[in-house]
Amino acid sequence: MIRRMKRALKIAGLVVVVLVVAVVAVLAATFMGRQSIPDGAEVNGFRIVKDGVVSVAVIPVSENEVALVDAGNDKNATAILAELSRRHLGAGAVKAILITHGHPDHTGGAGVFPNAQVISLETEKPLVEGRVGAKGPLTRLMPVSPTGITVAKTVNDGDTLTLGTHQVRVFAVPGHTQGSAAYLVDDVLFMGDAADAKSDATVIGSPWIFSDSQSQDRQSLVALDARLARDSVPVKEMVFSHSGVLANGREPLDAFAASAR
Ligand SMILES: [Zn+2]
C-alpha cells in the first residue's frame, strides 16, 4: 500500500515538474527575441513610458492636458505620474485613456486619474470592467472580479476621434482578446498586444499563451494590413505595448501579412 502511494506521489511529482518546465519553455519562447521598450522615447511627440514589462504612451492634447494609450500594470501608476510631474502636471491632467485591451497590465493604473475618460472598443468593455474573463490558455486562469474601472466611452471599428489637435482612427483587431483595438494617432499606429516587434525589426503575432485566439489575431493583422494599404493610410511608426517601436512605416506589418497569407 505504502509502496503504491509512494509510486503515485513520484508520478504526480514528475507530472508537476514536466508541466512547470513546459510552461517556462513556452514563456521563454514567448519573450525571447523581442525588442525592448525604449523608456522615454519620443515618437511624433508622444512619449513612451516604460512600466515594468509594458509601456504606456503619453500624448499631449493641450498645454495642460494629456491622453494616454493604456494605463500600465502598476496600480499606483508611478512611472506615468513621474512623466506627468516632469511636465509639471498632476494626475488630473489625464483627460482620456485609449485602452488597447482589457488585460490587467494595460488597465492597472486607470483608477489613478480622476478626470480621465476611459475609452475602449464596445466589445472590450466587459473585460476592462472585470465582468468577464479573458480566454487565453493562461489568461483564463486569472480570477474574474470588478476592476473598478468604468469605460465611459465605447468606440467601434472605423470610428474616428479627436484628441486636441490629434486625429485618432480606431481599428478592431480581435484575437489577442475579443475587443482588442489598434489606434492610429496621427500617423503612429499603436498595436497594443495584437502584435510584437522582434529585435530584427520584424513583426510577429500575439503570443498563444496570452491570447484568446492566436489564429484570429493573425487574420486580424492580415486584414488590418490590407485595409491600411487599400485606404492609403499613412503609417510612419508602429508602437507595440511590450516590444517598443518600429519606425519604417507599414512595411514590417506588410511582410508579416505576406508570410501569414
Ligand atoms: Zn494582453
Side-chain angles (χ1 to χ4, degrees):
M1 182 67 179
I2 287 176
R3 194 184 284 175
R4 211 181 278 170
M5 269 175 66
K6 269 188 178 165
R7 196 159 161 244
L9 276 174
K10 243 186 209 168
I11 291 171
L14 211 65
V15 167
V16 168
V17 168
V18 167
L19 279 175
V20 167
V21 168
V23 169
V24 168
V26 168
L27 288 176
T30 297
F31 293 110
M32 243 166 29
R34 291 209 285 196
Q35 275 197 149
S36 53
I37 296 166
D39 193 21
E42 294 275 347
V43 181
N44 187 49
F46 312 151
R47 195 166 181 101
I48 307 298
V49 175
K50 185 172 185 276
D51 173 16
V53 296
V54 72
S55 63
V56 171
V58 177
I59 297 171
V61 294
S62 76
E63 209 174 305
N64 300 310
E65 294 169 329
V66 302
L68 305 178
V69 178
D70 285 338
N73 186 43
D74 175 10
K75 286 225 168 336
N76 300 316
T78 310
I80 303 171
L81 289 172
E83 169 55 20
L84 293 176
S85 151
R86 196 184 67 84
R87 296 168 183 262
H88 309 290
L89 300 174
V94 178
K95 289 296 161 191
I97 306 175
L98 296 168
I99 298 287
T100 61
H101 66 293
H103 284 158
D105 53 332
H106 297 256
T107 61
V112 171
F113 307 105
N115 302 327
Q117 183 182 44
V118 177
I119 302 168
S120 82
L121 274 195
E122 196 172 340
T123 38
E124 196 72 343
K125 183 177 161 85
L127 185 65
V128 175
E129 295 180 350
R131 289 185 278 114
V132 300
K135 297 184 178 63
L138 205 62
T139 53
R140 76 174 64 215
L141 304 176
M142 295 191 295
V144 179
S145 64
T147 55
I149 302 165
T150 303
V151 175
K153 183 183 175 71
T154 57
V155 289
N156 291 293
D157 183 57
D159 284 356
T160 53
L161 305 167
T162 303
L163 290 176
T165 58
H166 306 292
Q167 294 299 311
V168 182
R169 197 161 153 176
V170 180
F171 296 96
V173 283
H176 180 63
T177 61
Q178 284 315 295
S180 279
Y183 297 105
L184 182 76
V185 186
D186 300 340
D187 47 18
V188 180
L189 186 60
F190 290 92
M191 297 295 294
D193 285 0
D196 269 308
K198 286 174 66 182
S199 34
D200 62 1
T202 56
V203 161
I204 51 172
S206 69
W208 165 76
I209 198 158
F210 297 120
S211 299
D212 287 8
S213 166
Q214 201 181 30
S215 61
Q216 191 185 21
D217 170 71
R218 303 292 183 273
Q219 286 168 24
S220 289
L221 293 176
V222 171
L224 175 65
D225 179 65
R227 271 174 83 187
L228 295 172
R230 186 195 64 200
D231 299 347
S232 305
V233 177
V235 176
K236 261 198 195 150
E237 281 112 350
M238 288 193 288
V239 179
F240 307 85
S241 292
H242 296 282
S243 48
V245 182
L246 290 180
N248 46 342
R250 193 172 54 82
E251 194 272 317
L253 184 64
D254 211 28
F256 171 88
S259 67
R261 235 175 249 130

